[in-house]
Amino acid sequence: MKRPIGVFDSGLGGLTVVRHLRRLLPGEAIVYFGDTARVPYGTKSPEAVVRFSLESCRFLLDRGVGAVVVACNTSSAVALDALRKECPVPVFDVVGPGARRAAEATRSGRIGVIGTRATIMSGVYPREIARRNPAAAVTGVPCPLFVPLAEEGWLDRPATVEIAREYLLPLRTADIDVLILGCTHYPALAGVIRLVMGDGVTLVDSGESCAAFVRERLASLRGGEGGIEYFVSDMPDRFREVGRVFMGEEIGEVAVARAEGGGAPPGRRS
Amino acid sequence: MKRPIGVFDSGLGGLTVVRHLRRLLPGEAIVYFGDTARVPYGTKSPEAVVRFSLESCRFLLDRGVGAVVVACNTSSAVALDALRKECPVPVFDVVGPGARRAAEATRSGRIGVIGTRATIMSGVYPREIARRNPAAAVTGVPCPLFVPLAEEGWLDRPATVEIAREYLLPLRTADIDVLILGCTHYPALAGVIRLVMGDGVTLVDSGESCAAFVRERLASLRGGEGGIEYFVSDMPDRFREVGRVFMGEEIGEVAVARAEGGGAPPGRRS
């Protein structure tokens, strides 16, 4: 029996990954979990993010998924080892594929990464890029206000441009030619980011890179009928309303589920 | 034996209440809990906020407090009944005292309230103001980005001014003469709010009003030596660092504690 792909994120951002998965793997069934009761993750500690991520993963395993996509850069940055250790099915992350794509795309060798404070502090992007392109110079900048701006749907207001100008200044100074959007919320702000950085900089969407990687691994194995089930830990109506922007299409039924607390580690569940 | 006053908030904002409590009641011992693992509350559902608030209250009761101050407008707006029902000690909120102060201070009868989406949607401020001044016209505006701006310490950046101008425009149009800062994070942004609203508008700090009310009720009963114990559910170092701005003084030891989950309702604990 073909099992669905499970996708989780702190909130809405992971929908940008689902959007590409749906385009690249239209035959796959997807179960999405957004931990909207505890969003954001990117301003929280590694310990908290590991705990929240394991709980989200357990929820998806309880729904019978055959693979888990960590559609959150913060979780991928700090919780991937813990997730792979505990999880009995393949776990895909958004950091590795995005780093690989950026390492291949740069001509100047100067790469920028923007993400949450937790992602940038983890140093995971410079490490992953160095594995593929040891000569690359990586400049990382945390952009913590981008998540609330995206969650509020403030995608192209003057204040958003102002904040982007301030955050991205070090990247303009560093004269990068590739910029990794190292948070799955950020593609919603791509217009403003492109405006500030100029056309000479290639934007790498970590979620799109992740979806392409998942297709490479799964395409030969699977086929069937698609469909998406949405679960969130809070505010389903708002998720449906704001999520359209991230998803690029209407979102249907959204159910509320609690991930936290909950019993045995995932290895004992599936 | 004199028991400490317990104060809780979703994160840093409640420190603005502690600051005034400390000034008005220097002899009181205070136990503070900031639910920094789940901050913010104001973008979450009433159900989630009630659950988080009861858990925070239980944590404080377990520390032996003799009164609880709900130093979060969102919790006060949606969880106060549940807290009073479950809690065996007096519960003070920030909404009632702020509404009373505003109802007394207005000359024109046109009052503005800013707060989180949850607080404004609850309608609690118009209801509480109407009890004291039925003729008052109340204009409420949600300002959801103010909490992340304050938590990031972006207190007077150009983007903050830009966002304030956009949020506060309906209040300028409504020609109010009193504005309630209906979120304990907002006093940190008072400079920008005053800049946008002009000197003709009196700002009411809901936390200061709350502290004054607590003093009225407790002053005759108590005396002794002060002191503050700080607990947060995540990120103690950042709490200490950014919290200085809210507290107006250095913050000492901050311990990490988990409120969620945890056992019996508070009535069975204390």
Side-chain angles (χ1 to χ4, degrees):
Chain A
M1 193 193 76
K2 187 174 130 178
R3 292 191 285 172
I5 300 175
V7 180
F8 78 86
D9 178 51
S10 61
L12 293 158
L15 291 174
T16 61
V17 180
V18 174
R19 179 181 193 159
H20 293 294
L21 281 175
R22 198 168 165 70
R23 184 171 55 77
L24 297 173
L25 291 164
E28 294 293 326
I30 292 172
V31 181
Y32 185 86
F33 179 71
D35 194 8
T36 47
R38 299 188 288 198
V39 71
Y41 282 4
T43 54
K44 313 281 161 80
S45 70
E47 296 72 30
V49 174
V50 167
R51 178 159 59 89
F52 297 169
S53 300
L54 288 172
E55 289 171 352
S56 296
C57 185
R58 277 167 209 159
F59 173 80
L60 292 172
L61 290 168
D62 284 345
R63 307 290 309 177
V65 302
V68 170
V69 176
V70 186
C72 172
N73 279 265
T74 303
S75 290
S76 297
V78 305
L80 190 61
D81 289 347
L83 287 163
R84 291 220 162 115
K85 199 168 154 191
E86 296 255 338
C87 190
V89 302
V91 177
F92 297 95
D93 77 309
V94 281
V95 168
R100 185 176 66 165
R101 172 89 50 108
E104 290 164 359
T106 185
R107 285 154 296 134
S108 71
R110 291 187 296 276
I111 298 172
V113 188
I114 53 177
T116 65
R117 192 176 289 114
T119 297
I120 299 301
M121 298 289 278
S122 77
V124 68
Y125 271 107
R127 278 200 305 278
E128 289 294 314
I129 291 167
R131 284 179 52 201
R132 279 100 178 177
N133 184 342
V138 182
T139 307
V141 178
C143 303
L145 290 167
F146 277 0
V147 169
L149 286 167
E151 294 263 337
E152 286 301 315
W154 278 45
L155 307 182
D156 52 8
R157 309 267 184 117
T160 309
V161 178
E162 179 69 41
I163 291 170
R165 281 195 204 287
E166 180 152 352
Y167 278 151
L168 302 178
L169 185 60
L171 297 171
R172 294 182 48 136
T173 307
D175 196 25
I176 59 169
D177 69 347
V178 171
L179 175 58
I180 301 173
L181 307 182
C183 171
T184 53
H185 283 80
Y186 295 180
L189 300 172
V192 168
I193 293 167
R194 201 171 281 120
L195 177 76
V196 173
M197 293 306 298
D199 290 336
V201 174
T202 303
L203 302 188
V204 171
D205 178 336
S206 63
E208 186 176 9
S209 307
C210 166
F213 184 75
V214 172
R215 185 185 55 176
E216 277 176 33
R217 294 301 172 96
L218 294 187
S220 57
L221 306 172
R222 303 157 73 101
E225 62 192 288
I228 312 179
E229 276 190 291
Y230 297 99
F231 296 89
V232 294
S233 50
D234 198 23
M235 302 283 273
D237 294 342
R238 191 167 165 76
F239 180 87
R240 193 163 43 233
E241 179 196 326
V242 184
R244 283 189 314 168
V245 177
F246 290 80
M247 191 57 201
E249 62 182 74
E250 293 296 326
I251 289 176
E253 283 293 300
V254 181
V256 176
R258 277 178 64 177
E260 68 207 73
R268 297 182 214 152
R269 290 268 186 111
S270 80
Chain B
M1 193 192 74
K2 186 175 133 179
R3 292 191 286 171
I5 299 175
V7 180
F8 78 86
D9 178 52
S10 60
L12 292 159
L15 291 174
T16 62
V17 180
V18 174
R19 180 181 192 158
H20 293 294
L21 282 174
R22 196 168 167 70
R23 184 172 54 79
L24 297 173
L25 291 165
E28 293 295 325
I30 292 172
V31 181
Y32 185 86
F33 179 71
D35 193 8
T36 47
R38 298 188 289 199
V39 69
Y41 282 4
T43 54
K44 313 280 161 81
S45 71
E47 296 73 28
V49 175
V50 168
R51 177 159 60 89
F52 297 168
S53 300
L54 288 172
E55 289 171 352
S56 296
C57 185
R58 276 168 210 159
F59 172 81
L60 292 172
L61 290 169
D62 283 345
R63 306 290 308 179
V65 302
V68 170
V69 176
V70 186
C72 172
N73 279 264
T74 302
S75 290
S76 297
V78 306
L80 190 61
D81 289 347
L83 286 164
R84 290 219 163 115
K85 200 168 153 193
E86 295 255 338
C87 190
V89 303
V91 176
F92 298 94
D93 77 309
V94 280
V95 168
R100 185 176 67 165
R101 172 89 51 107
E104 289 164 0
T106 185
R107 284 154 296 133
S108 70
R110 292 186 295 278
I111 297 172
V113 188
I114 53 177
T116 66
R117 191 177 291 114
T119 298
I120 299 301
M121 299 290 279
S122 76
V124 68
Y125 272 106
R127 278 200 306 278
E128 289 293 315
I129 291 167
R131 285 178 52 201
R132 279 102 179 176
N133 183 343
V138 182
T139 307
V141 177
C143 303
L145 289 168
F146 277 0
V147 169
L149 285 167
E151 293 262 339
E152 285 301 316
W154 278 46
L155 306 182
D156 52 8
R157 308 268 185 118
T160 309
V161 177
E162 179 69 41
I163 290 170
R165 281 194 204 289
E166 181 152 351
Y167 278 151
L168 302 177
L169 185 60
L171 297 171
R172 296 183 47 137
T173 307
D175 196 25
I176 59 169
D177 70 347
V178 171
L179 175 59
I180 301 174
L181 307 183
C183 172
T184 52
H185 283 81
Y186 296 0
L189 300 171
V192 168
I193 293 166
R194 201 171 280 120
L195 177 77
V196 173
M197 293 306 297
D199 290 337
V201 175
T202 304
L203 303 188
V204 172
D205 178 335
S206 63
E208 186 175 9
S209 307
C210 165
F213 185 75
V214 173
R215 185 186 55 176
E216 278 177 34
R217 294 301 171 95
L218 295 188
S220 57
L221 305 173
R222 302 157 72 101
E225 61 191 290
I228 311 178
E229 275 190 292
Y230 296 100
F231 296 90
V232 294
S233 51
D234 198 22
M235 302 283 274
D237 293 342
R238 191 168 165 76
F239 180 89
R240 192 163 43 231
E241 179 196 326
V242 184
R244 284 189 314 169
V245 177
F246 291 79
M247 192 57 203
E249 62 181 74
E250 294 295 326
I251 289 176
E253 282 293 298
V254 180
V256 175
R258 279 178 63 176
E260 67 207 75
R268 297 182 214 153
R269 290 266 187 114
S270 79

